[in-house]
Amino acid sequence: MQKGTLNTREYVGMLKELVEQGDTVSMRIVGSSMSPFLIHNRDIIIFKAPDRKLRRGDMVFFQRDSGQYVMHRIYSEKKDGYYIIGDAQTELEGPVRPEQIFALVIKVKRKDKWLEPGNFWWEFFARVWIRSIRLRKVFTKIYGGVHKLFRR
């Protein structure tokens, strides 16, 4: 590792410890799996230990058996665990055991604006986008084309 760089796994591991101690923490998004809602190196999330029953559309942090930390949305809960997906993904991951989930995202800073449950975009991605798995590739291409057109 280069001098001055931070290992993401170690960093999130430290944040996980803080969450387990009852703290609310924040971090800048790394990766593109939650696009188009959250963008790599632009947006910030605030999370804490879950204090209620988790439900479809919730953004949660969990640790894979490999040790990797991931923040995605809950798609469904079944007897064997949770099935989870990133907003940019078309394949469910799971089952994720309840004990693997250590945090619930409670607020995000998206495009320099703070959003939380109840906000239009928060609810759109939690309630509508979560149901569009089969159409995501098409929607993403359309969005990209429209976005390019208006940037000119």
Side-chain angles (χ1 to χ4, degrees):
M1 186 169 9
Q2 291 180 335
K3 187 176 181 180
T5 61
L6 182 65
N7 179 301
T8 303
R9 186 180 287 188
E10 290 176 14
Y11 176 65
V12 177
M14 289 186 298
L15 295 179
K16 178 184 178 196
E17 288 179 27
L18 291 171
V19 165
E20 289 170 343
Q21 294 170 21
D23 291 336
T24 299
V25 298
S26 67
M27 72 173 279
R28 187 168 300 277
I29 290 295
V30 177
S32 60
S33 67
M34 289 301 289
S35 174
F37 184 54
L38 300 173
I39 303 299
H40 169 75
N41 215 23
R42 180 191 76 186
D43 299 328
I44 296 170
I45 58 173
I46 295 180
F47 53 97
K48 65 179 188 172
D51 57 357
R52 61 168 173 75
K53 181 167 174 39
L54 298 174
R55 57 185 176 255
R56 182 182 190 138
D58 282 343
M59 289 181 283
V60 295
F61 241 117
F62 67 99
Q63 188 172 16
R64 290 180 172 145
D65 289 334
S66 67
Q68 181 183 21
Y69 294 104
V70 180
M71 193 273 297
H72 284 159
R73 281 186 203 280
I74 292 177
Y75 180 79
S76 65
E77 180 183 13
K78 297 187 178 177
K79 287 181 183 178
D80 59 350
Y82 292 97
Y83 287 80
I84 296 180
I85 190 165
D87 289 347
Q89 298 179 318
T90 57
E91 300 288 327
L92 292 176
E93 177 174 356
V96 173
R97 299 178 309 279
E99 63 270 15
Q100 289 176 270
I101 296 173
F102 64 90
L104 172 67
V105 176
I106 58 170
K107 197 173 188 179
V108 302
K109 188 174 186 182
R110 178 180 191 258
K111 296 182 181 179
D112 291 324
K113 292 183 182 176
W114 286 105
L115 309 177
E116 52 194 307
N119 170 273
F120 173 81
W121 288 113
W122 186 289
E123 297 302 326
F124 173 81
F125 282 94
R127 298 177 190 274
V128 177
W129 188 256
I130 193 82
R131 300 177 195 282
S132 70
I133 294 172
R134 291 189 182 123
L135 300 173
R136 286 182 180 181
K137 287 181 182 176
V138 173
F139 289 153
T140 302
K141 282 185 180 183
I142 292 169
Y143 174 81
V146 169
H147 193 260
K148 272 185 184 176
L149 184 66
F150 285 102
R151 276 199 302 182
R152 291 182 186 187

